Amino acid sequence: MAKKEKNIKKNKKRVIFPLGAKFSFFVALLLVTIMVAITAFLYNWMGQALEKEVKERGIAIAKNIANNAADPLIKNDDLPLAILTKEAVQTPLKFDKSINLNIDILNNILNIIKQGFTTSKQTQNIKNEGIYEAIIVRKDGTIASANNVRIIGEKYTPPAGVKKLSENEDTLVQDYTKGGQQYFDIAVAIGTIINNNKYRVGEVHLTISRSIILKVVMEAAIKIGLIIFISLILGILTSILLVNFLVRPIKYLVDGVKAIGEGNYDVQIKLKTNDELGLLTEIFNDTAKSLKEKELIKGAFSKYISSEVMEQIINDPSKLSLHGKRLKATVLFTDIRGFTSMSEKLEPEQVVSIINDYLTIQTDKIIKHNGFLDKFVGDCVMAVFGIPVPKEDDTIRAVRAAIDIRESVKKLNSIRERMKQLTVGIGIGLNTGEVVCGNMGSPQKMDYTVIGDNVNLASRLEANAPANTIYVSESTYLETKDKFIYKELEPIFVKGKKEAIKIYEPIEEKT
């Protein structure tokens, strides 16, 4: 007893994490993920776009120098070469190590915030600003001209990690690092044409710093990050307020679910709001009512119907009337011809075995075509198409099932004949019309079945049908004549009818 009380106290002390806190946490996590993803995407995208633009601009400048430097280079005219290299480097780049993203990032962020959003440089402003060095090299490798005049006349040595421009290459762009800074080396061959032959007379080398790209990209990324961060804070605050407002009605739903879990299906929640919670409350109340109806059906109905029919009724209890209902249905009767006299000559085990073989075939076909297997009466089968839930093709499926039974019995008889076993014939009758269906019987024994004159007529047709023959009434024929090939037979008189009944035999389904 003490142990039980201890467990109860333990359950009462269970820590519950508020829904608002969980929701806010996931909102924050989602927004952070989005913030990081967007920032990373934009950083990479802008970096690639700016890098491409800078390289293209550098190549264009280098090619322009190469096109104008050929003649002065051949003539050793230094003045035009000096002008070309000087104009290529419009603004000498002042290196700022804080531009490197790996160094002093916090200062970068603070500086960008101070500058404001209106002073950031746009992509189109990055032109010659990033060109650090312009060099014209003769074919023998000496520097003919450079913006840094102190290196003119020296032997040109490519930066570490940069390979020389080969004879087969006109343009070559390479990345390299020097002094902790990243650069592009753009090399363009200088050529001239003499007597229709192309000769290389030198090279142009431009050194472009990547720092300007990193600076612009970082500015944009930080600003976007700040905007998303502010959105994150606002989103968290909004989610907390919203969840606190929504959680209150959920308590009523929790109490209702607990009541249903304890078997109380009479619970109804009185909460009306014009939102999803109001809709959820309505659905909950409908579900409780539906569960109550289904429990009643299972308790009273599962004793005498198949699981398949039970599933149909459970899915839509409103269409089921246990107290009686008139509806249109097609009734099918079958009976084994002459089996009563044969059974007198057989052992009981043989009788049961033969009946079960033929009843199994008929049952399978009726279920296959979605019929309701009403009952077995000895070697007679009664099935109904149209209950518990009527469908438009009930009559068609009934005739189709009858033909299927007839053909299957023929196949079974053929097999039994080859095995030297007893064979039987089956007569089948079908009629379509209004019947009364419902829960019929006494408190001790009840059946869900159909009654009425149309049921009796189906039974009379089966009684008159010879072995392996199907008798179909005129009402069934009229509803299915477009689907099946029929043979009209001579009208017959049946018990309970003053006039002869028109009958038809279905041969096969039309293709």
Side-chain angles (χ1 to χ4, degrees):
M1 183 71 180
K3 186 177 181 181
K4 185 176 181 181
E5 291 178 355
K6 186 177 180 181
N7 290 333
I8 293 174
K9 291 180 180 179
K10 185 178 180 181
N11 291 334
K12 289 183 178 179
K13 294 180 180 179
R14 187 182 64 172
V15 178
I16 297 177
F17 295 97
L19 184 61
K22 292 180 181 179
F23 186 79
S24 299
F25 171 76
F26 284 114
V27 168
L29 183 62
L30 177 62
L31 291 177
V32 168
T33 303
I34 294 173
M35 179 179 71
V36 172
I38 291 176
T39 304
F41 170 78
L42 290 176
Y43 179 81
N44 291 329
W45 178 78
M46 290 182 65
Q48 293 173 1
L50 287 171
E51 180 176 323
K52 181 180 179 182
E53 180 180 337
V54 168
K55 286 181 178 180
E56 290 177 349
R57 178 63 177 169
I59 291 172
I61 294 173
K63 286 184 176 180
N64 181 61
I65 294 173
N67 291 334
N68 292 283
D71 288 342
L73 195 61
I74 294 172
K75 298 176 181 178
N76 294 320
D77 189 352
D78 295 335
L79 180 60
L81 298 178
I83 295 174
L84 289 173
T85 53
K86 183 179 180 181
E87 289 183 350
V89 183
Q90 302 252 336
T91 305
L93 183 64
K94 294 181 181 180
F95 298 104
D96 183 2
K97 292 186 177 181
S98 65
I99 293 175
N100 193 319
L101 292 181
N102 297 321
I103 302 176
D104 206 2
I105 296 178
L106 181 59
N107 287 336
N108 283 328
I109 296 175
L110 294 176
N111 290 333
I112 291 171
I113 294 175
K114 291 178 182 179
Q115 291 172 3
F117 292 97
T118 59
T119 60
S120 63
K121 294 186 178 181
Q122 302 299 320
T123 301
Q124 59 267 27
N125 292 331
I126 302 177
K127 295 182 179 179
N128 295 6
E129 182 182 356
I131 299 180
Y132 168 63
E133 192 173 48
I135 300 174
I136 297 176
V137 182
R138 300 181 187 277
K139 188 175 183 181
D140 60 4
T142 60
I143 298 175
S145 181
N147 62 297
N148 183 6
V149 296
R150 289 176 297 178
I151 63 173
I152 296 175
E154 295 180 2
K155 194 74 174 179
Y156 174 73
T157 302
V162 175
K163 65 179 183 178
K164 294 182 178 180
L165 187 67
S166 67
E167 292 294 332
N168 298 325
E169 294 175 315
D170 292 329
T171 303
L172 182 61
V173 180
Q174 301 177 78
D175 299 348
Y176 71 96
T177 302
K178 181 180 178 181
Q181 298 291 318
Q182 296 179 334
Y183 302 94
F184 304 123
D185 179 78
I186 299 177
V188 176
I190 302 175
T192 186
I193 299 175
I194 302 174
N195 296 326
N196 295 326
N197 293 320
K198 186 175 181 180
Y199 296 92
R200 178 176 292 186
V201 296
E203 300 174 0
V204 175
H205 287 271
L206 292 184
T207 299
I208 302 178
S209 174
R210 294 191 59 161
S211 61
I212 191 66
I213 299 175
L214 298 176
K215 183 177 180 181
V216 173
V217 171
M218 186 175 181
E219 286 178 356
I222 290 174
K223 291 176 182 179
I224 293 172
L226 289 174
I227 293 173
I228 298 177
F229 178 75
I230 294 172
S231 301
L232 169 66
I233 300 301
L234 293 176
I236 293 175
L237 294 176
T238 303
S239 67
I240 292 174
L241 295 174
L242 179 62
V243 170
N244 287 334
F245 174 75
L246 295 177
V247 164
R248 296 174 191 172
I250 293 178
K251 184 179 180 299
Y252 298 110
L253 292 170
V254 172
D255 294 338
V257 171
K258 288 181 179 179
I260 287 181
E262 295 170 356
N264 179 15
Y265 299 111
D266 293 321
V267 62
Q268 291 287 298
I269 298 175
K270 297 180 180 180
L271 177 66
K272 294 184 178 181
T273 56
N274 296 323
D275 55 18
E276 287 79 359
L277 279 175
L279 178 61
L280 181 60
T281 301
E282 292 180 8
I283 294 173
F284 174 86
N285 291 336
D286 292 341
T287 300
K289 182 179 179 182
S290 176
L291 287 172
K292 182 179 180 181
E293 293 176 352
K294 290 177 180 179
E295 284 299 315
L296 291 173
I297 292 172
K298 285 182 179 179
F301 211 54
S302 60
K303 299 177 182 178
Y304 52 89
I305 66 170
S306 67
S307 58
E308 188 170 330
V309 177
M310 170 64 77
E311 183 178 350
Q312 295 178 6
I313 297 172
I314 292 298
N315 288 337
D316 194 356
S318 64
K319 294 184 178 180
L320 175 66
S321 177
L322 298 178
H323 304 291
K325 181 179 180 181
R326 292 185 181 275
L327 50 76
K328 177 184 165 185
T330 299
V331 184
L332 180 150
F333 278 92
T334 72
D335 185 57
I336 299 177
R337 294 291 179 255
F339 188 74
T340 303
S341 59
M342 292 183 207
S343 62
E344 296 176 356
K345 304 175 184 178
L346 303 173
E347 294 296 326
E349 293 81 2
Q350 292 178 297
V351 173
V352 173
S353 177
I354 294 173
I355 287 179
N356 286 343
D357 284 345
Y358 286 91
L359 292 183
T360 298
I361 286 180
Q362 297 176 73
T363 301
D364 290 344
K365 302 309 176 185
I366 291 169
I367 294 176
K368 172 185 174 183
H369 297 286
N370 297 321
F372 173 66
L373 188 62
D374 190 294
K375 62 173 66 72
F376 296 110
V377 182
D379 56 1
C380 175
V381 176
M382 176 182 172
V384 186
F385 292 79
I387 65 169
V389 181
K391 298 179 181 178
E392 293 182 358
D393 63 340
D394 287 329
T395 307
I396 295 173
R397 286 186 287 104
V399 177
R400 192 175 287 148
I403 295 175
D404 209 350
I405 291 173
R406 181 186 65 191
E407 300 305 315
S408 297
V409 168
K410 288 181 180 179
K411 291 179 182 178
L412 178 59
N413 284 336
S414 177
I415 294 172
R416 293 180 67 87
E417 284 178 358
R418 290 197 298 270
M419 298 174 66
K420 308 299 183 183
Q421 294 179 347
L422 180 66
T423 62
V424 299
I426 294 180
I428 306 173
L430 291 97
N431 180 44
T432 302
E434 186 180 78
V435 298
V436 176
C437 70
N439 215 8
M440 302 179 191
S442 67
Q444 291 79 21
K445 175 65 177 178
M446 302 190 78
D447 286 320
Y448 183 75
T449 186
V450 295
I451 59 174
D453 185 60
N454 284 302
V455 178
N456 296 334
L457 178 56
S459 177
R460 301 288 185 266
L461 293 177
E462 171 267 308
N464 283 273
N468 301 323
T469 303
I470 304 171
Y471 276 4
V472 168
S473 68
E474 185 176 19
S475 59
T476 303
Y477 162 76
L478 292 175
E479 290 196 16
T480 60
K481 63 181 181 179
D482 294 332
K483 292 287 184 178
F484 300 93
I485 299 173
Y486 280 97
K487 175 183 178 182
E488 185 174 1
L489 305 177
E490 289 293 328
I492 61 173
F493 286 92
V494 297
K495 184 179 178 180
K497 298 291 182 181
K498 295 181 179 180
E499 297 181 358
I501 301 298
K502 289 184 178 181
I503 56 174
Y504 303 83
E505 180 182 4
I507 306 302
E508 61 182 357
E509 190 167 359
K510 293 180 179 179
T511 57

